[in-house]
Amino acid sequence: MAIFSSKTREPQVDFSHLPRHVAIIMDGNGRWARKRGLPRTAGHAVGAETFRTIATYAKEIGLEYLTVYAFSTENWKRSQEEVQSIMGLLKKYLLEAIGQMERDKVKMEFFGDLSRLSPELQELCQHAREISSRYDGCQVNICLNYGGRDEIIRGIKAWQADCAAGKANPEALTEAGFSDYLFSKGVPDPDLIIRPSGEVRTSNFLLWQSAYSEYYFTDVLWPDFSKTNLLEAIEAFQKRSRRYGGV
Ligand code: FPP
């Protein structure tokens, strides 16, 4: 009988062939809190720390892009207290990240309709974007008030407007050309999408961009997600054979 479970061994990762772009659905904060008899907001607070740890580690190991789902277009349906708490954590994170950007040289971008956020948060996002334009290291994309379907509809409307203004030719639309109308313009599609917490669905995350992404699901709840869990996901990714519809 094996003495060590597979979970106790070190993930074997080839750091010279990392996925360029890893995306994560940060799920399970509420269940993590409930298991401990804590309010859901406590789960989000620990989840925000996990995000910080994983974003720092992503940069350390040399990932080019990390995209995280922080707040969806559907998350406004949650209680006002929970929404306020997530927005408060975002503000805290952005203030700290902006203060450390000069040192960390991490680029930040935001996917989603930011106009529904408070003017203060919008300003912080804009400020982070502006500073980021000076760097070319690891890019962290935070999805805020983001929905994959919403993103596609917005893209279609913007493209239609360009067609009407004579700036785009309706006959000449290509997949690559349409990608430029999405929030993710200029960012390569995610190679690997990780969903913790045992849920096995895409939840409106990067619908267009995930056409050929590899998915990795784990039961670990987001607040417990560790650097080792990230390496386990990358190890699983590196064992897969990506054929993009070919043989
Ligand atoms: C999903 O878990 C998580 C969210 C909707 C919020 C994620 C927000 C953070 C991690 C904090 C702020 C982010 C940053 C970038 C600083 P859930 O609440 O749906 O968990 P459950 O399925 O267990 O209820």
Side-chain angles (χ1 to χ4, degrees):
M1 199 184 177
I3 295 171
F4 301 105
S5 85
S6 60
K7 293 248 156 57
T8 59
R9 76 175 176 77
E10 286 294 307
Q12 304 296 306
V13 167
D14 176 355
F15 288 95
S16 61
H17 290 95
L18 290 173
R20 282 186 80 190
H21 182 178
V22 174
I24 307 181
I25 301 175
M26 305 189 289
D27 197 13
N29 296 346
R31 278 163 285 166
W32 183 93
R34 199 175 60 223
K35 273 171 67 179
R36 288 161 179 79
L38 297 169
R40 295 177 58 80
T41 48
H44 295 314
V46 179
E49 286 308 316
T50 302
F51 162 70
R52 199 191 306 271
T53 303
I54 294 297
T56 306
Y57 189 55
K59 182 186 171 248
E60 264 170 47
I61 62 174
L63 287 185
E64 285 182 65
Y65 298 92
L66 176 72
T67 301
V68 293
Y69 209 176
F71 198 84
S72 76
T73 43
E74 289 71 37
N75 285 154
W76 297 106
K77 292 182 218 150
R78 298 186 176 206
S79 73
Q80 223 194 338
E81 187 203 355
E82 187 171 344
V83 172
Q84 285 308 316
S85 148
I86 296 173
M87 295 301 158
L89 289 166
L90 278 166
K91 178 178 156 189
K92 181 168 172 270
Y93 171 76
L94 286 172
L95 283 170
E96 286 167 11
I98 287 169
Q100 292 173 358
M101 265 172 137
E102 208 59 63
R103 187 195 73 193
D104 294 345
K105 309 228 171 345
V106 167
K107 276 170 84 86
M108 279 168 74
E109 199 28 87
F110 303 90
F111 296 173
D113 174 15
L114 302 187
S115 69
R116 205 171 156 186
L117 304 183
S118 70
E120 189 187 17
L121 263 180
Q122 289 183 50
E123 253 177 57
L124 284 174
C125 292
Q126 190 49 34
H127 191 39
R129 261 184 182 142
E130 279 163 17
I131 306 176
S132 295
S133 61
R134 296 189 229 138
Y135 308 133
D136 55 8
C138 176
Q139 177 168 328
V140 175
N141 306 305
I142 303 182
C143 298
L144 291 176
N145 190 24
Y146 173 87
R149 287 184 173 181
D150 179 65
E151 178 182 39
I152 292 169
I153 297 281
R154 280 167 191 279
I156 293 169
K157 287 182 180 166
W159 172 73
Q160 264 180 338
D162 275 358
C163 288
K167 291 190 225 160
N169 172 2
E171 304 300 323
L173 185 64
T174 60
E175 292 182 9
F178 183 65
S179 296
D180 286 347
Y181 286 91
L182 302 177
F183 294 123
S184 56
K185 177 179 177 178
V187 174
D189 289 342
D191 302 291
L192 169 64
I193 300 182
I194 301 172
R195 182 161 195 164
S197 92
E199 306 293 350
V200 190
R201 53 179 172 268
T202 62
S203 295
N204 207 9
F205 186 46
L206 303 176
L207 292 183
W208 173 273
Q209 300 86 341
S210 62
Y212 286 101
S213 303
E214 296 291 331
Y215 278 91
Y216 178 85
F217 298 99
T218 169
D219 288 340
V220 175
L221 301 174
W222 175 250
D224 290 329
F225 194 88
S226 63
K227 296 174 191 176
T228 304
N229 293 139
L230 178 65
L231 294 182
E232 283 166 356
I234 295 175
E235 178 189 45
F237 167 84
Q238 289 182 332
K239 285 185 180 152
R240 298 196 194 163
S241 140
R242 302 179 82 192
R243 293 187 296 277
Y244 300 97
V247 285

